[in-house]
Amino acid sequence: MRSPTDGALPLFQQWPTPQTTDSTGKAIWRLTAPSVAPGKYEIEIFAAGEKGWKSVWRLTVTIVAS
């Protein structure tokens, strides 16, 4: 999990520690959204495999005022 590389507004200023997948191929983070202004923020998940493959997933999180 990292700051978006496309210049979008990142959700976190400090990113969680990288995780290695478990025996089922899953990596899990439990996160709480920080106190930020309402708006759209991005999270980027980057994965790389042993044989040189790479993949990037970009997620948009919308924060609304309560």
Side-chain angles (χ1 to χ4, degrees):
M1 186 177 296
R2 66 186 185 188
S3 187
T5 57
D6 64 358
L9 193 60
L11 181 59
F12 298 100
Q13 295 303 311
Q14 291 187 302
W15 291 88
T17 305
Q19 298 292 323
T20 301
T21 56
D22 63 16
S23 61
T24 66
K26 295 179 184 177
I28 298 172
W29 293 269
R30 297 201 192 306
L31 305 168
T32 301
S35 293
V36 293
K40 291 187 178 185
Y41 297 86
E42 283 194 13
I43 294 173
E44 191 168 284
I45 306 295
F46 173 80
E50 294 178 1
K51 298 186 182 200
W53 65 266
K54 296 178 183 175
S55 189
V56 176
W57 297 270
R58 288 183 182 91
L59 307 155
T60 300
V61 176
T62 302
I63 303 295
V64 295
S66 57

